[in-house]
Amino acid sequence: MQLGLIGLGKMGANMRRRIADAGHEVVGYDPRPEVSDVASLQELVSTLSAPRVVWVMVPSGPPTRETVETLSTLLESGDLVIDGGNSRYTDDGPHAELLSAKQIGYVDCGVSGGVWGLENGYGLMAGGSPEDIEKAMPIFDALRPEGERADGFVHAGPVGAGHYAKMVHNGIEYGLMHAYGEGYELLSAEPLIDDVAGTLRAWTHGTVIRSWLLDLLVEALKDDPGLAEISDYTTDSGEGRWTVEEAIRHSVPANVISAALFARFASRQESGSPTLKAVSALRQQFGGHSVRPAGS
Protein backbone atom coordinates (compact mmCIF):
# COMPACT_ATOMS: atom_id res chain seq x y z
CA MET A 1 0.00 0.00 0.00
CA GLN A 2 1.06 3.60 -0.60
CA LEU A 3 0.87 6.27 2.11
CA GLY A 4 1.61 9.97 2.27
CA LEU A 5 2.97 10.98 5.69
CA ILE A 6 3.08 14.63 6.73
CA GLY A 7 5.34 15.42 9.69
CA LEU A 8 8.64 13.59 10.19
CA GLY A 9 9.52 14.53 13.75
CA LYS A 10 10.33 12.10 16.55
CA MET A 11 7.14 10.09 16.08
CA GLY A 12 6.58 10.60 12.38
CA ALA A 13 10.08 9.58 11.33
CA ASN A 14 9.89 6.33 13.28
CA MET A 15 6.42 5.62 11.95
CA ARG A 16 7.70 6.08 8.40
CA ARG A 17 10.40 3.49 9.05
CA ARG A 18 8.05 0.98 10.64
CA ILE A 19 5.49 1.27 7.83
CA ALA A 20 8.19 0.96 5.18
CA ASP A 21 9.72 -2.05 6.97
CA ALA A 22 6.30 -3.73 6.66
CA GLY A 23 6.56 -3.47 2.88
CA HIS A 24 4.52 -0.34 2.18
CA GLU A 25 5.60 2.67 0.16
CA VAL A 26 5.78 5.83 2.27
CA VAL A 27 6.17 9.29 0.76
CA GLY A 28 7.04 11.71 3.53
CA TYR A 29 6.77 15.48 3.68
CA ASP A 30 8.32 17.77 6.28
CA PRO A 31 9.22 21.47 6.12
CA ARG A 32 12.83 20.42 6.75
CA PRO A 33 14.19 19.49 3.31
CA GLU A 34 16.92 17.26 4.74
CA VAL A 35 14.34 14.72 5.97
CA SER A 36 11.57 15.21 3.40
CA ASP A 37 10.96 13.04 0.33
CA VAL A 38 9.14 15.84 -1.52
CA ALA A 39 9.38 19.61 -1.55
CA SER A 40 5.72 20.50 -0.90
CA LEU A 41 2.28 19.19 -0.07
CA GLN A 42 1.38 19.69 -3.72
CA GLU A 43 4.24 17.41 -4.75
CA LEU A 44 3.24 14.88 -2.11
CA VAL A 45 -0.29 14.66 -3.46
CA SER A 46 0.85 14.48 -7.09
CA THR A 47 3.29 11.67 -6.23
CA LEU A 48 0.59 9.48 -4.71
CA SER A 49 -1.74 7.35 -6.81
CA ALA A 50 -5.50 7.73 -6.35
CA PRO A 51 -7.29 6.88 -4.17
CA ARG A 52 -4.76 8.44 -1.81
CA VAL A 53 -4.31 7.96 1.93
CA VAL A 54 -2.51 10.79 3.72
CA TRP A 55 -1.51 10.61 7.39
CA VAL A 56 -1.05 13.93 9.20
CA MET A 57 1.44 13.81 12.08
CA VAL A 58 1.96 17.45 13.07
CA PRO A 59 1.34 19.40 16.31
CA SER A 60 -2.29 19.81 17.33
CA GLY A 61 -4.23 23.03 16.92
CA PRO A 62 -3.43 25.51 14.14
CA PRO A 63 -0.69 23.40 12.46
CA THR A 64 -3.06 20.45 12.04
CA ARG A 65 -5.99 22.66 11.07
CA GLU A 66 -3.96 24.47 8.41
CA THR A 67 -2.64 21.19 7.03
CA VAL A 68 -6.13 19.70 6.74
CA GLU A 69 -7.41 22.88 5.08
CA THR A 70 -4.59 22.74 2.52
CA LEU A 71 -5.22 19.06 1.83
CA SER A 72 -8.90 19.80 1.24
CA THR A 73 -7.83 21.91 -1.76
CA LEU A 74 -5.35 19.35 -3.12
CA LEU A 75 -6.96 15.95 -2.64
CA GLU A 76 -9.80 14.45 -4.68
CA SER A 77 -13.01 12.54 -4.12
CA GLY A 78 -12.30 9.10 -2.68
CA ASP A 79 -9.07 10.11 -0.93
CA LEU A 80 -8.63 9.72 2.84
CA VAL A 81 -6.98 11.90 5.51
CA ILE A 82 -5.90 10.45 8.86
CA ASP A 83 -5.03 12.80 11.72
CA GLY A 84 -2.64 10.84 13.93
CA GLY A 85 -1.52 13.73 16.11
CA ASN A 86 -2.76 14.65 19.56
CA SER A 87 -5.61 16.82 18.35
CA ARG A 88 -8.49 17.61 20.66
CA TYR A 89 -11.47 15.46 19.71
CA THR A 90 -13.64 18.52 19.21
CA ASP A 91 -11.46 19.48 16.23
CA ASP A 92 -12.29 16.26 14.39
CA GLY A 93 -15.89 17.07 13.49
CA PRO A 94 -15.00 20.32 11.68
CA HIS A 95 -12.10 18.59 9.89
CA ALA A 96 -14.36 15.76 8.74
CA GLU A 97 -17.07 18.19 7.63
CA LEU A 98 -14.59 20.26 5.60
CA LEU A 99 -13.25 17.19 3.82
CA SER A 100 -16.65 15.57 3.38
CA ALA A 101 -17.75 18.52 1.25
CA LYS A 102 -15.13 17.32 -1.26
CA GLN A 103 -16.06 13.63 -0.78
CA ILE A 104 -12.75 13.08 1.05
CA GLY A 105 -12.80 10.69 4.00
CA TYR A 106 -11.46 11.47 7.47
CA VAL A 107 -10.21 9.28 10.32
CA ASP A 108 -8.80 10.43 13.66
CA CYS A 109 -6.28 8.10 15.25
CA GLY A 110 -4.71 8.38 18.68
CA VAL A 111 -1.19 6.95 18.67
CA SER A 112 0.67 5.75 21.77
CA GLY A 113 4.17 4.35 21.97
CA GLY A 114 6.49 7.33 21.99
CA VAL A 115 10.00 6.98 20.65
CA TRP A 116 9.90 3.24 21.38
CA GLY A 117 7.10 2.58 18.89
CA LEU A 118 9.50 1.86 16.04
CA GLU A 119 10.69 -1.28 17.80
CA ASN A 120 7.66 -2.23 19.89
CA GLY A 121 4.76 -1.03 17.73
CA TYR A 122 2.16 1.62 18.51
CA GLY A 123 -1.14 1.38 20.35
CA LEU A 124 -3.80 2.80 18.03
CA MET A 125 -7.27 4.19 18.75
CA ALA A 126 -9.21 5.14 15.61
CA GLY A 127 -12.43 7.02 14.95
CA GLY A 128 -14.28 7.12 11.64
CA SER A 129 -16.59 5.19 9.36
CA PRO A 130 -16.10 1.43 8.98
CA GLU A 131 -15.32 1.95 5.28
CA ASP A 132 -12.56 4.47 5.95
CA ILE A 133 -11.10 2.38 8.76
CA GLU A 134 -10.97 -0.67 6.49
CA LYS A 135 -9.26 1.34 3.75
CA ALA A 136 -6.42 2.24 6.13
CA MET A 137 -6.21 -1.13 7.90
CA PRO A 138 -2.96 -2.26 6.20
CA ILE A 139 -1.27 0.83 7.66
CA PHE A 140 -2.80 0.27 11.10
CA ASP A 141 -1.59 -3.33 11.01
CA ALA A 142 1.91 -2.19 10.09
CA LEU A 143 2.05 0.24 13.00
CA ARG A 144 0.46 -1.78 15.79
CA PRO A 145 2.38 -4.32 17.90
CA GLU A 146 2.63 -7.88 16.68
CA GLY A 147 -0.03 -10.30 17.86
CA GLU A 148 -3.80 -10.14 17.93
CA ARG A 149 -5.10 -6.93 16.39
CA ALA A 150 -7.47 -6.20 19.27
CA ASP A 151 -4.53 -6.05 21.69
CA GLY A 152 -3.08 -2.98 19.95
CA PHE A 153 -5.81 -1.46 17.79
CA VAL A 154 -9.41 -0.39 18.36
CA HIS A 155 -12.00 1.18 16.10
CA ALA A 156 -13.34 3.15 19.04
CA GLY A 157 -16.32 4.71 17.27
CA PRO A 158 -17.23 7.44 14.76
CA VAL A 159 -15.13 10.51 13.98
CA GLY A 160 -13.74 11.98 17.21
CA ALA A 161 -13.73 8.69 19.14
CA GLY A 162 -10.08 7.95 18.43
CA HIS A 163 -8.80 11.23 19.82
CA TYR A 164 -11.22 11.04 22.75
CA ALA A 165 -9.85 7.61 23.66
CA LYS A 166 -6.26 8.89 23.36
CA MET A 167 -7.10 11.89 25.54
CA VAL A 168 -8.35 9.61 28.33
CA HIS A 169 -5.33 7.32 27.80
CA ASN A 170 -3.00 10.26 28.36
CA GLY A 171 -4.95 11.40 31.41
CA ILE A 172 -4.46 7.94 32.93
CA GLU A 173 -0.79 8.19 32.02
CA TYR A 174 -0.53 11.37 34.11
CA GLY A 175 -1.86 9.55 37.17
CA LEU A 176 0.32 6.46 36.73
CA MET A 177 3.49 8.49 36.26
CA HIS A 178 2.78 10.58 39.33
CA ALA A 179 2.09 7.54 41.49
CA TYR A 180 5.45 6.05 40.51
CA GLY A 181 7.08 9.41 41.21
CA GLU A 182 5.55 9.59 44.70
CA GLY A 183 6.66 6.03 45.42
CA TYR A 184 10.18 6.91 44.34
CA GLU A 185 10.23 9.96 46.63
CA LEU A 186 8.92 7.99 49.61
CA LEU A 187 11.55 5.28 49.15
CA SER A 188 14.24 7.95 48.88
CA ALA A 189 13.07 9.60 52.10
CA GLU A 190 13.25 6.43 54.25
CA PRO A 191 16.69 5.68 55.82
CA LEU A 192 15.81 1.98 56.02
CA ILE A 193 15.94 1.73 52.23
CA ASP A 194 19.56 1.36 51.13
CA ASP A 195 18.84 0.63 47.47
CA VAL A 196 16.04 2.72 45.98
CA ALA A 197 16.77 1.86 42.36
CA GLY A 198 17.11 -1.83 43.23
CA THR A 199 13.78 -1.81 45.03
CA LEU A 200 12.05 -0.32 42.00
CA ARG A 201 13.77 -2.84 39.75
CA ALA A 202 12.57 -5.70 41.96
CA TRP A 203 9.03 -4.56 41.27
CA THR A 204 9.39 -4.93 37.48
CA HIS A 205 8.62 -8.67 37.39
CA GLY A 206 5.93 -10.59 39.22
CA THR A 207 4.42 -7.70 41.18
CA VAL A 208 0.95 -6.26 40.63
CA ILE A 209 2.40 -2.80 39.84
CA ARG A 210 4.83 -3.91 37.13
CA SER A 211 4.52 -1.96 33.89
CA TRP A 212 6.49 -0.45 31.04
CA LEU A 213 6.49 2.90 32.81
CA LEU A 214 8.11 1.30 35.86
CA ASP A 215 10.73 -0.26 33.58
CA LEU A 216 11.46 3.20 32.18
CA LEU A 217 11.82 4.74 35.64
CA VAL A 218 14.36 2.05 36.52
CA GLU A 219 16.19 2.84 33.27
CA ALA A 220 16.16 6.56 34.04
CA LEU A 221 17.71 5.93 37.46
CA LYS A 222 20.37 3.76 35.88
CA ASP A 223 21.30 6.61 33.53
CA ASP A 224 21.11 9.28 36.24
CA PRO A 225 21.21 7.90 39.82
CA GLY A 226 19.25 10.16 42.10
CA LEU A 227 18.03 12.12 39.06
CA ALA A 228 20.61 14.77 39.89
CA GLU A 229 20.87 16.00 36.32
CA ILE A 230 17.20 16.74 35.76
CA SER A 231 14.92 19.51 36.97
CA ASP A 232 11.48 18.78 38.47
CA TYR A 233 9.96 21.31 36.04
CA THR A 234 7.30 19.29 34.18
CA THR A 235 5.28 20.52 31.23
CA ASP A 236 1.99 19.20 29.91
CA SER A 237 0.90 18.97 26.29
CA GLY A 238 -2.83 19.48 26.79
CA GLU A 239 -4.43 16.05 27.00
CA GLY A 240 -4.47 15.99 30.80
CA ARG A 241 -6.27 19.33 30.90
CA TRP A 242 -8.80 18.13 28.35
CA THR A 243 -9.38 14.92 30.32
CA VAL A 244 -10.11 16.90 33.48
CA GLU A 245 -12.46 19.18 31.56
CA GLU A 246 -14.32 16.13 30.25
CA ALA A 247 -14.49 14.68 33.76
CA ILE A 248 -16.15 17.90 34.90
CA ARG A 249 -18.55 17.83 31.93
CA HIS A 250 -19.58 14.25 32.70
CA SER A 251 -19.49 14.71 36.51
CA VAL A 252 -16.88 11.96 36.79
CA PRO A 253 -14.68 12.33 39.92
CA ALA A 254 -11.24 12.10 38.30
CA ASN A 255 -9.35 12.75 41.53
CA VAL A 256 -6.02 11.15 40.62
CA ILE A 257 -5.73 12.59 37.12
CA SER A 258 -6.68 16.06 38.37
CA ALA A 259 -4.13 15.91 41.17
CA ALA A 260 -1.40 14.77 38.78
CA LEU A 261 -2.17 17.64 36.42
CA PHE A 262 -2.12 20.23 39.20
CA ALA A 263 1.16 18.80 40.48
CA ARG A 264 2.68 19.56 37.09
CA PHE A 265 1.49 23.13 37.45
CA ALA A 266 3.12 23.28 40.87
CA SER A 267 6.41 22.02 39.43
CA ARG A 268 6.75 25.25 37.48
CA GLN A 269 6.85 27.30 40.64
CA GLU A 270 9.91 27.71 42.85
CA SER A 271 10.27 24.24 44.28
CA GLY A 272 12.31 21.08 44.19
CA SER A 273 10.31 17.85 44.03
CA PRO A 274 11.79 14.34 43.61
CA THR A 275 8.30 13.20 42.54
CA LEU A 276 8.25 15.63 39.63
CA LYS A 277 11.85 14.80 38.75
CA ALA A 278 10.72 11.20 38.30
CA VAL A 279 7.75 12.33 36.17
CA SER A 280 10.07 14.47 34.00
CA ALA A 281 12.47 11.55 33.64
CA LEU A 282 9.64 9.27 32.54
CA ARG A 283 8.42 11.75 29.92
CA GLN A 284 11.95 11.93 28.54
CA GLN A 285 12.32 8.13 28.55
CA PHE A 286 9.13 7.15 26.73
CA GLY A 287 8.47 10.16 24.56
CA GLY A 288 11.80 11.86 24.03
CA HIS A 289 10.28 15.01 25.51
CA SER A 290 12.72 17.78 26.36
CA VAL A 291 13.45 18.36 30.03
CA ARG A 292 15.11 21.14 31.98
CA PRO A 293 18.58 20.41 33.32
CA ALA A 294 18.97 20.72 37.07
CA GLY A 295 19.71 24.24 38.18
CA SER A 296 18.06 25.95 35.21
Side-chain angles (χ1 to χ4, degrees):
M1 182 173 174
Q2 193 180 50
L3 178 75
L5 180 59
I6 302 171
L8 301 173
K10 288 177 293 189
M11 287 278 284
N14 283 347
M15 289 168 62
R16 173 170 64 172
R17 286 182 56 190
R18 186 172 176 89
I19 295 167
D21 287 347
H24 302 289
E25 179 187 356
V26 184
V27 182
Y29 169 72
D30 192 277
R32 298 167 297 159
E34 66 271 18
V35 301
S36 189
D37 298 321
V38 293
S40 66
L41 291 180
Q42 174 69 66
E43 185 178 351
L44 174 77
V45 170
S46 63
T47 301
L48 300 173
S49 302
R52 305 168 186 84
V53 178
V54 178
W55 190 299
V56 179
M57 204 68 190
V58 303
S60 62
T64 294
R65 183 162 52 250
E66 292 164 9
T67 301
V68 171
E69 289 172 352
T70 300
L71 289 173
S72 73
T73 69
L74 298 175
L75 294 174
E76 301 172 343
S77 175
D79 293 344
L80 175 64
V81 173
I82 303 171
D83 176 11
N86 279 331
S87 294
R88 190 165 186 170
Y89 79 97
T90 51
D91 291 342
D92 292 316
H95 290 165
E97 185 176 355
L98 173 66
L99 294 168
S100 178
K102 306 287 185 68
Q103 288 79 52
I104 301 167
Y106 179 82
V107 165
D108 58 287
C109 185
V111 181
S112 179
V115 296
W116 296 85
L118 172 62
E119 179 181 350
N120 299 331
Y122 300 88
L124 305 172
M125 299 139 268
S129 72
E131 296 77 17
D132 287 337
I133 296 293
E134 187 61 32
K135 185 183 296 186
M137 192 57 72
I139 301 302
F140 295 142
D141 282 340
L143 287 170
R144 66 175 177 82
E146 295 180 5
E148 189 174 350
R149 179 184 289 166
D151 290 338
F153 171 85
V154 62
H155 179 194
V159 165
H163 280 145
Y164 196 98
K166 180 57 162 52
M167 173 191 70
V168 175
H169 165 284
N170 283 22
I172 293 170
E173 181 184 289
Y174 278 45
L176 289 172
M177 292 166 65
H178 203 80
Y180 284 129
E182 289 180 348
Y184 163 72
E185 180 169 2
L186 188 56
L187 289 171
S188 300
E190 174 50 57
L192 285 172
I193 303 296
D194 292 327
D195 187 354
V196 173
T199 300
L200 292 167
R201 182 177 178 182
W203 293 349
T204 60
H205 290 80
T207 73
V208 296
I209 63 166
R210 65 190 184 274
S211 76
W212 183 49
L213 284 175
L214 180 58
D215 294 342
L216 292 176
L217 181 54
V218 170
E219 191 66 28
L221 288 167
K222 185 188 302 181
D223 295 340
D224 179 12
L227 304 178
E229 298 179 6
I230 191 171
S231 164
D232 69 339
Y233 186 105
T234 307
T235 61
D236 69 285
S237 51
E239 297 91 337
R241 301 181 188 218
W242 304 338
T243 305
V244 171
E245 290 173 7
E246 286 299 304
I248 294 170
R249 187 170 73 89
H250 288 291
S251 299
V252 172
N255 302 311
V256 172
I257 296 172
S258 300
L261 174 66
F262 295 149
R264 293 194 182 194
F265 295 166
S267 80
R268 300 166 209 170
Q269 301 171 355
E270 292 298 325
S271 65
S273 167
T275 296
L276 270 302
K277 282 192 174 191
V279 172
S280 289
L282 279 168
R283 294 183 80 247
Q284 184 181 47
Q285 284 285 322
F286 76 76
H289 299 287
S290 61
V291 297
R292 285 196 178 190
S296 65

